[in-house]
Structures are given as structure tokens and as C-alpha cells.
């Protein structure tokens, strides 16, 4: 076993280390302030104190999939379903632009109601009205032809977490009609088309081992995504994982720091899920190496019903309207929210 300081130095200098060393970092019970401060230094070297904001628009909670962990899965008959139309979505952008948002993230379940033509029309209309803004899509697994159509319509970024890079683990979290192979196919096609691509995983999802987390890091090295989104798993009462334990704050923060050291250039959000499990979760995520926050621009009714997990934050600083208060909190953590399209700096 190498001393922890040596492992951190290796990560700082080589952006890589052995599986054994990664496991040691992940499994250590102790807080690792050296890891956090090394990650913060690398983040400052690459991005200064800038925190990019993305305006999240949750536009549908209908979903054809039934991921076992997710509160909006197709089997949840108690979910109160909603859809936003183009005008609703443009109104979210109208609200966000004057607040300083220059990226709009359209996220939703895999909802067949939104044909490719509808998605392309929405993307095109946002880009037409706000040409200095980027449109990010997070709408799940599609064909290459569909992805290409979205790209041609003006979407330049796509978020699709791989969820777990171990196929045995993947099959414990998803029904048999879903596969890790298809998820990976989507991610490689998105990159090949030219999207700035984001992937990621939940920390502490049911059945997850430390070895699984190492596989996640190795897969990300292979994919080399521009954005890496991770957050703790949080149970939802209407899923088969209702009684499972939630992911830990400490491990999530540690994983953010490891990611920052392995992928110094990456856009790493401090996620809503992190803010949900701890009142200072978002600020702690930034201090651990995160450099993106995604406040919610959706109308209240959508925010309330886009319940992926229990107690999801959707009011207070999570709401885009509270940006001023969020700016103050971010500043007191040592960083600065900027008005910027926020492209990756490779
Ligand atoms: N349908 C799109 C997709 O599959 O990428 C986007 C929506 S999906 C709900 C967004 C992300 O929410 C998933 O990638 C997953 O990691 C996260 N998520 C879902 N249920 C969760 C839970 N119970 N706890 C934490 N994160 C969860």
C-alpha cells in the first residue's frame, strides 16, 4: 500500500494511478483534506474561480424506461406526469437569459411524444432566439440518426450518464431491455458526431462496490468526456429501491476530487442531488473540484413533479430565480458565478 500522499501526488502529476491506489483512496474512512486541496488547486489552474451556470429545463417526466432507481420510471403509476411545449420552454429561456444563463439544458424522460421533428424545432427556436447560447440535451438513448438531427438543429452538448460501467451491476439497476452496450454505443456516437458529451454515474447506487467505481473511472478515461456528472443515489419511495441506503456525501465528494485530478479539463457539476443530501452540499461539491451548477428554470409545477428521488431540492437556491442568493453563497465558498457559455477548456 502506498502512502495516501504519494497516490495524490501521482494523480496530480500523471492524472492517473493504479486500480489498487484508486481503491485505497475510495475505501479510506478518513477525510482526505490533501485530496480536496489538490483537486481545488488543479481546478483553479484550469478554470480559475469561475463557476458556470446552466439553466435546467425539466420538460417531461413521461418515460418509456423503467430504471429501477428512478422516480419517474414508467411503472410508477403515482407519478403526476407533465409535458412542456415549445412556448413553455421558450418562456424558461426568456426567464433565464436576463439572469445570465447562456446554456439551456433540456432534460427529460425518454418520452416518445417528442418526435425528432419536435425536438429539432424546439432546439432550432431556442438557438434562433438566443444565438449566443448553447443548447444541451439530456433525453436518453436514441439512434445515431436522431442525434445527428439534433446536432444539425443546433444542439451542441449532450448529457447521458453511463450510470455504471460494470455490465453485471448495470443489469441490477435496469430492466433486461436496457444494456450498458447500448448506453456506450450512444456515448461514442454522440462524441463522433461532435457533441460536447457528458457522462457520469451515481455514487452509492444499490449493489455498487468500490471496484465498480474504479471501473467507472476507467471507462471515463476511455471515453474522455467533456462533462462528468456524478451525484449520490437517493432512494425514491415508489421504486423497488425505496428502502436502500442513500449514497454518502463523503464518498461523493471524494469521487469529485478524484475526477478533477484525473480529468483536469472537465466540466464537473456540483449536482442537485448533492445539495439535497446536505444543506451545503453544492458548495462542498465546488470546493471538492466541481465547477458547474445547474439551477432550475422549470415552472414550479414541473419542478415539483420531476421527482427522480425523495425530497429533491427544487425551491430556495435551487430555483434559478434565487440566483442572487446562490451567487453570494458561491462567493463565500471562494468562487464566482460567471455569465459565460462555459465551454470545456481542453
Ligand atoms: N432520460 C435521460 C437519461 O436517461 O439520461 C435524462 C433523465 S435521467 C432521470 C437523469 C439522471 O438522473 C440519470 O442519469 C440518473 O443518474 C439520475 N437519477 C435518476 N434517479 C436517481 C436517484 N434515485 N438518485 C440519484 N440520481 C438519480
Amino acid at each position: 500500500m502506498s502512502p495516501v500522499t504519494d497516490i495524490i501526488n501521482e494523480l496530480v502529476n500523471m492524472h492517473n494511478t493504479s486500480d489498487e491506489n484508486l481503491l485505497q483512496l475510495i475505501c479510506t474512512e478518513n477525510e482526505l483534506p490533501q485530496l480536496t486541496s489538490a483537486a481545488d488547486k488543479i481546478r483553479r489552474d484550469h478554470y480559475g474561480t469561475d463557476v458556470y451556470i446552466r439553466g435546467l429545463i425539466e420538460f417531461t417526466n413521461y418515460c418509456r424506461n423503467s430504471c429501477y432507481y428512478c422516480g419517474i420510471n414508467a411503472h410508477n403509476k403515482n407519478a403526476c406526469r407533465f409535458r412542456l411545449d415549445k412556448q413553455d420552454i421558450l418562456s424558461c429561456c426568456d426567464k433565464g437569459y436576463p439572469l445570465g444563463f447562456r446554456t439551456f439544458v433540456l432534460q427529460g424522460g425518454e418520452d416518445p411524444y417528442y418526435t425528432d421533428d419536435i425536438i429539432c424545432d424546439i432546439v432550432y427556436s431556442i438557438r434562433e432566439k438566443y444565438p449566443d447560447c448553447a443548447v444541451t440535451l439530456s433525453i436518453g438513448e436514441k439512434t445515431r440518426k436522431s442525434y445527428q438531427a439534433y446536432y444539425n438543429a443546433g444542439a451542441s452538448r449532450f448529457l447521458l450518464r453511463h450510470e455504471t460501467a460494470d455490465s453485471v451491476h448495470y443489469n441490477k439497476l435496469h430492466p433486461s431491455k436496457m444494456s450498458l452496450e447500448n448506453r456506450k454505443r450512444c456515448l461514442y456516437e454522440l462524441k463522433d458526431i461532435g457533441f460536447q458529451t457528458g457522462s457520469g454515474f451515481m455514487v452509492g447506487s444499490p449493489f455498487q462496490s468500490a471496484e465498480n467505481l474504479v471501473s467507472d473511472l476507467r471507462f471515463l478515461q476511455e471515453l474522455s468526456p467533456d462533462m462528468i456528472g456524478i451525484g449520490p443515489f437517493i432512494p425514491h419511495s415508489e421504486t423497488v429501491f425505496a428502502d436502500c441506503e442513500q449514497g454518502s456525501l463523503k464518498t461523493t465528494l471524494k469521487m469529485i476530487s478524484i475526477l478533477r485530478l484525473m480529468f483536469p479539463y472537465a466540466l464537473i457539476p456540483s449536482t442537485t442531488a448533492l445539495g439535497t443530501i446536505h444543506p451545503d452540499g453544492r458548495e462542498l461539491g465546488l470546493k471538492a473540484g466541481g465547477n458547474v451548477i445547474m439551477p432550475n428554470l422549470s415552472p414550479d409545477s414541473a419542478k415539483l413533479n420531476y421527482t427522480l428521488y425523495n425530497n429533491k431540492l427544487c425551491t430556495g437556491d435551487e430555483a434559478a430565480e434565487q440566483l442572487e442568493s446562490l451567487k453570494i453563497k458561491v462567493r463565500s465558498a471562494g468562487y464566482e458565478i460567471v455569465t459565460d457559455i462555459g465551454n470545456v477548456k481542453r
Side-chain angles (χ1 to χ4, degrees):
M1 285 224 302
S2 318
V4 162
T5 314
D6 290 354
I7 303 176
I8 295 171
N9 285 339
E10 194 178 351
L11 279 173
V12 168
N13 296 319
M14 312 300 294
H15 312 302
N16 205 1
T17 187
S18 66
D19 286 4
E20 192 194 0
N21 285 347
L22 287 171
L23 278 172
Q24 196 186 324
L25 280 189
I26 293 168
C27 295
T28 177
E29 282 298 311
N30 304 332
E31 299 259 344
L32 293 175
Q34 318 98 290
L35 179 67
T36 318
S37 64
D40 186 55
K41 180 170 184 314
I42 293 259
R43 170 246 208 271
R44 284 170 193 266
D45 289 348
H46 282 257
Y47 286 96
T49 57
D50 289 359
V51 173
Y52 297 139
I53 45 168
R54 317 298 200 198
L56 180 63
I57 304 171
E58 296 162 334
F59 72 100
T60 173
N61 69 350
Y62 283 84
C63 191
R64 70 190 171 107
N65 283 334
S66 42
C67 307
Y68 299 150
Y69 45 83
C70 184
I72 62 166
N73 79 76
H75 290 308
N76 182 1
K77 299 291 172 241
N78 292 325
C80 192
R81 305 284 172 175
F82 72 90
R83 288 186 176 112
L84 302 186
D85 65 18
K86 184 169 89 174
Q87 276 321 314
D88 298 328
I89 294 171
L90 283 170
S91 302
C92 297
C93 302
D94 295 342
K95 183 167 73 178
Y97 191 87
L99 291 171
F101 289 91
R102 295 295 177 269
T103 296
F104 301 113
V105 181
L106 268 55
Q107 190 182 85
E110 288 193 21
D111 180 357
Y113 169 88
Y114 295 88
T115 59
D116 288 351
D117 284 349
I118 295 180
I119 295 287
C120 288
D121 180 43
I122 293 170
V123 170
Y124 185 83
S125 303
I126 298 175
R127 292 296 320 279
E128 188 178 44
K129 195 163 185 192
Y130 295 109
D132 56 336
C133 293
V135 175
T136 305
L137 293 175
S138 178
I139 55 175
E141 298 175 18
K142 307 279 176 181
T143 61
R144 181 176 181 123
K145 192 164 162 245
S146 297
Y147 289 144
Q148 185 69 59
Y150 309 149
Y151 189 79
N152 295 346
S156 56
R157 302 175 184 160
F158 204 104
L159 305 178
L160 184 76
R161 290 182 176 180
H162 64 276
E163 313 295 1
T164 170
D166 179 294
S167 57
V168 174
H169 186 216
Y170 191 93
N171 294 341
K172 289 181 181 171
L173 301 180
H174 301 93
S176 56
K177 67 172 185 165
M178 294 178 74
S179 72
L180 179 60
E181 197 189 348
N182 195 47
R183 203 84 181 163
K184 288 186 176 177
R185 190 261 313 154
C186 291
L187 284 163
Y188 285 111
E189 287 182 354
L190 286 162
K191 275 204 77 173
D192 196 45
I193 289 168
F195 280 98
Q196 284 184 42
T197 304
S199 195
F201 53 91
M202 286 175 290
V203 176
S205 59
F207 312 110
Q208 185 180 66
S209 64
E211 285 78 6
N212 292 152
L213 289 171
V214 174
S215 306
D216 289 322
L217 296 171
R218 295 300 178 214
F219 169 66
L220 290 169
Q221 283 182 314
E222 189 188 297
L223 179 70
S224 184
D226 302 293
M227 302 166 274
I228 306 176
I230 70 165
F233 159 75
I234 306 174
H236 184 285
S237 52
E238 302 278 340
T239 64
V240 291
F241 294 148
D243 298 324
C244 293
E245 214 177 300
Q246 74 179 24
S248 93
L249 176 73
K250 209 197 281 179
T251 311
T252 309
L253 295 174
K254 207 188 289 177
M255 291 307 296
I256 291 178
S257 294
I258 294 174
L259 286 169
R260 174 57 66 204
L261 295 179
M262 291 179 75
F263 305 90
Y265 63 83
L267 296 162
I268 303 180
S270 188
T271 55
T272 307
L274 202 49
T276 299
I277 64 165
H278 190 282
D280 300 326
R282 228 184 345 234
E283 292 82 349
L284 292 168
L286 294 178
K287 287 181 175 175
N291 60 339
V292 174
I293 297 188
M294 298 170 67
N296 203 318
L297 281 173
S298 318
D300 286 346
S301 58
K303 268 182 227 161
L304 282 173
N305 291 316
Y306 196 81
T307 41
L308 308 181
Y309 43 80
N310 291 341
N311 308 316
K312 180 176 153 255
L313 271 194
C314 61
T315 53
D317 295 340
E318 198 54 33
E321 296 85 342
Q322 304 301 324
L323 196 64
E324 282 311 311
S325 132
L326 185 61
K327 279 183 180 169
I328 292 167
K329 285 194 177 163
V330 167
R331 192 169 299 149
S332 55
Y335 308 96
E336 204 64 44
I337 287 183
V338 293
T339 296
D340 192 306
I341 197 163
N343 282 318
V344 69
K345 292 183 184 168
R346 287 269 191 181

